[in-house]
Amino acid sequence: MVSMNTNQIEGLIGMVAVLGILVLLVLPSVFGIVRDRRIDRQLREAQETADEEPAQKSSSRSTVPSTATWYAEGRRSKKLVSS
């Protein structure tokens, strides 16, 4: 059976601590790289599907602004006049 003296145990604990800190420092970078690669893949797939599909036909129906758009336009014009 191999027995370790105090110096060897302290050295082992120090080495494990340094490796643990190294892992904690490198882990966020690894997560970021994996996330960036996933986003790049999704963008590539979206571009490929957009290239394959024909362009959508525009609707012949006229678009009417929503109440929120109408309200915001009114508020903007009042703000410009009052200032």
Side-chain angles (χ1 to χ4, degrees):
M1 184 169 193
V2 177
S3 63
M4 299 178 70
N5 63 23
T6 307
N7 288 338
Q8 289 173 328
I9 293 173
E10 287 177 359
L12 182 63
I13 291 171
M15 188 170 62
V16 169
V18 168
L19 288 175
I21 291 171
L22 181 65
V23 167
L24 287 177
L25 289 174
V26 171
L27 211 55
S29 297
V30 171
F31 285 148
I33 291 169
V34 170
R35 180 175 173 265
D36 286 347
R37 289 178 60 105
R38 187 192 64 207
I39 291 171
D40 289 343
R41 188 187 74 242
Q42 290 173 346
L43 287 173
R44 234 184 355 263
E45 289 173 357
Q47 183 67 39
E48 289 171 0
T49 56
D51 291 343
E52 292 172 2
E53 295 177 1
Q56 291 182 344
K57 296 178 182 176
S58 63
S59 174
S60 60
R61 189 177 64 169
S62 65
T63 57
V64 178
S66 68
T67 305
T69 305
W70 173 80
Y71 180 75
E73 289 294 328
R75 298 270 304 163
R76 256 186 251 133
S77 62
K78 287 178 186 175
K79 188 181 285 186
L80 291 174
V81 171
S82 65
S83 58

